[in-house]
Amino acid sequence: MEVEVKLRLQDASAHRQLTSILSPFHSKTLHQENLFFDTPANTLSSQLSVLRLRFLNKDARCIVSLKSKPTLVDGVSRVAEDEEELDPCSARACVEDPARLGKIESRILKRVKEEFGVGEEVGFVCLGGFENKREVFNWKNLKLEVDETKYGFGICYELECESEDPDGVKKLLEEFLKENGIGYSYSKRTKFAVFRSGKLP
């Protein structure tokens, strides 16, 4: 179970201010391309599951993940997540021809076949996706991730932090944002849900 604090930053100005303040703690910047897959009948999403290919820093790496039964309440996200690395070239070929996903050697895609009955017979379709620039900061023994997410219909900004103590971390982050006058609100929808809705929150 992945548990994260998710706070939506008010606008580009809030994003700039936060990354500027955190700059001494900067660890790395990741350029992510997130693409999602389902069947033509929406077999996975009808069972509250999402299959994602994430390409990092162009095609340097690719991670396939299966997320299930997400909840997002008061800025705290909980989701069952399983992920593994894929060969980026093979994964990119699956984007061009989603039917290849049913044939690829992958523990997660085997799970999808067994649990959802999706494989070579019932094909996949690519739903599209979005790009995300993630800046990672090591701050007060926490790994903060500040996202600039580019959808086809606009840009969103978000602060995320995975933690086993989400309420304590959320309190700390809220105090920090308020002290620095950075506008924020609790994220109410996952990035995938925003993407599927076709409009910014």
Side-chain angles (χ1 to χ4, degrees):
M1 178 70 69
E2 179 188 62
V3 182
E4 287 183 309
V5 176
K6 290 180 180 272
L7 302 175
R8 189 169 72 83
L9 300 171
Q10 191 170 13
D11 51 26
S13 175
H15 175 268
R16 273 194 307 272
Q17 188 179 354
L18 178 58
T19 54
S20 175
I21 292 168
L22 289 174
S23 60
F25 309 100
H26 185 263
S27 166
K28 59 187 172 182
T29 299
L30 298 170
H31 295 276
Q32 305 171 335
E33 180 186 0
N34 299 286
L35 296 166
F36 301 89
F37 297 82
D38 207 334
T39 67
N42 295 318
T43 306
L44 274 69
S45 55
S46 68
Q47 297 181 58
L48 303 178
S49 295
V50 174
L51 181 67
R52 181 188 71 200
L53 290 182
R54 169 174 284 171
F55 295 90
L56 295 160
N57 297 334
K58 301 298 182 183
D59 287 3
R61 291 173 63 205
C62 179
I63 298 170
V64 59
S65 67
L66 178 65
K67 296 192 174 198
S68 303
K69 299 178 173 58
T71 63
L72 183 49
V73 180
D74 294 334
V76 176
S77 162
R78 289 178 171 85
V79 62
E81 182 177 45
D82 191 7
E83 59 183 30
E84 68 176 325
E85 295 251 359
L86 285 184
D87 173 67
C89 293
S90 300
R92 185 60 71 182
C94 292
V95 176
E96 301 301 321
D97 179 11
R100 288 172 177 257
L101 277 171
K103 304 170 187 172
I104 204 165
E105 282 293 319
S106 159
R107 176 181 55 78
I108 287 179
L109 289 159
K110 187 179 177 186
R111 269 193 64 196
V112 171
K113 188 172 186 176
E114 291 172 351
E115 295 176 24
F116 301 93
V118 181
E120 292 180 51
E121 300 79 20
V122 180
F124 290 95
V125 292
C126 182
L127 305 175
F130 51 82
E131 293 183 5
N132 188 51
K133 178 184 174 186
R134 169 165 289 173
E135 295 184 75
V136 182
F137 303 89
N138 295 321
W139 179 79
K140 295 195 175 183
N141 294 319
L142 299 171
K143 185 170 88 169
L144 304 185
E145 298 173 334
V146 182
D147 290 347
E148 177 183 1
T149 308
K150 295 182 179 179
Y151 301 99
F153 44 85
I155 301 176
C156 260
Y157 305 93
E158 199 169 35
L159 168 61
E160 298 185 357
C161 182
E162 189 172 347
S163 174
E164 294 176 1
D165 176 25
D167 293 327
V169 167
K170 186 172 73 167
K171 183 172 182 288
L172 182 66
L173 291 177
E174 287 196 78
E175 288 172 354
F176 172 67
L177 293 172
K178 285 172 182 172
E179 282 170 10
N180 288 283
I182 298 171
Y184 75 95
S185 60
Y186 293 157
S187 295
K188 293 184 170 65
R189 288 187 287 173
T190 65
K191 289 181 176 70
F192 177 70
V194 172
F195 162 66
R196 291 295 272 169
S197 74
K199 59 184 179 182
L200 297 177

